[in-house]
Structure formats: C-alpha cells, structure tokens
Amino acid sequence: MLYAVLRCAPQLDNASDNKSRWMLGFFAWLVKLGWVKEVRLPMMMVGHTHEDIDALFRRIAEYWARQGR
C-alpha cells in the first residue's frame, strides 16, 4: 500500500515556468490521487539562487576570482 506524503514543498525559483498551468496542474493531480495531502509552492525572490548548492559554488568561484584563477 502506498502512503501519502503529508506535505510537498519543492523549492522553486520565481520563473514563470514554475507558475504555469502545467506545473500547478501536476501538483493538483498529486493531491487528487491522494499521493500528497498538501502542496506548498515557496517561490524565491527574483535574483536569488534557487538551489543552496549554487550559493556555495558562487562563493567558491568568487574566492577563485580573487586568487586570480
């Protein structure tokens, strides 16, 4: 038996693709199937990275740029 996830909260950037009817329909479909009980769509502010790892690599790239690499 499959158990439903209580809450789905994917980390999304604020691109229009993430707010399209297809994306919203997909999450609505997951709820309708009973696979998830609730979907929250947190959107990051414009200009901010949407992946935590991107922020780490940005800092590494900045360090290398200061070192002349």
Side-chain angles (χ1 to χ4, degrees):
M1 176 177 178
L2 293 176
Y3 293 95
V5 175
L6 293 179
R7 182 179 301 142
C8 174
Q11 187 178 18
L12 303 172
D13 62 10
N14 209 2
S16 61
D17 293 349
N18 290 327
K19 296 181 265 185
S20 70
R21 65 180 176 169
W22 302 107
M23 182 69 86
L24 298 177
F26 171 72
F27 289 118
W29 179 65
L30 293 178
V31 172
K32 182 166 178 65
L33 289 176
W35 291 6
V36 296
K37 298 286 184 189
E38 176 182 322
V39 175
R40 292 186 180 187
L41 298 175
M43 301 285 178
M44 300 298 286
M45 293 181 356
V46 175
H48 288 71
T49 183
H50 66 278
E51 294 291 339
D52 297 334
I53 196 69
D54 288 345
L56 173 65
F57 282 115
R58 186 190 85 228
R59 298 225 184 250
I60 292 170
E62 289 171 350
Y63 173 78
W64 284 347
R66 286 192 305 270
Q67 301 301 316
R69 293 184 184 179

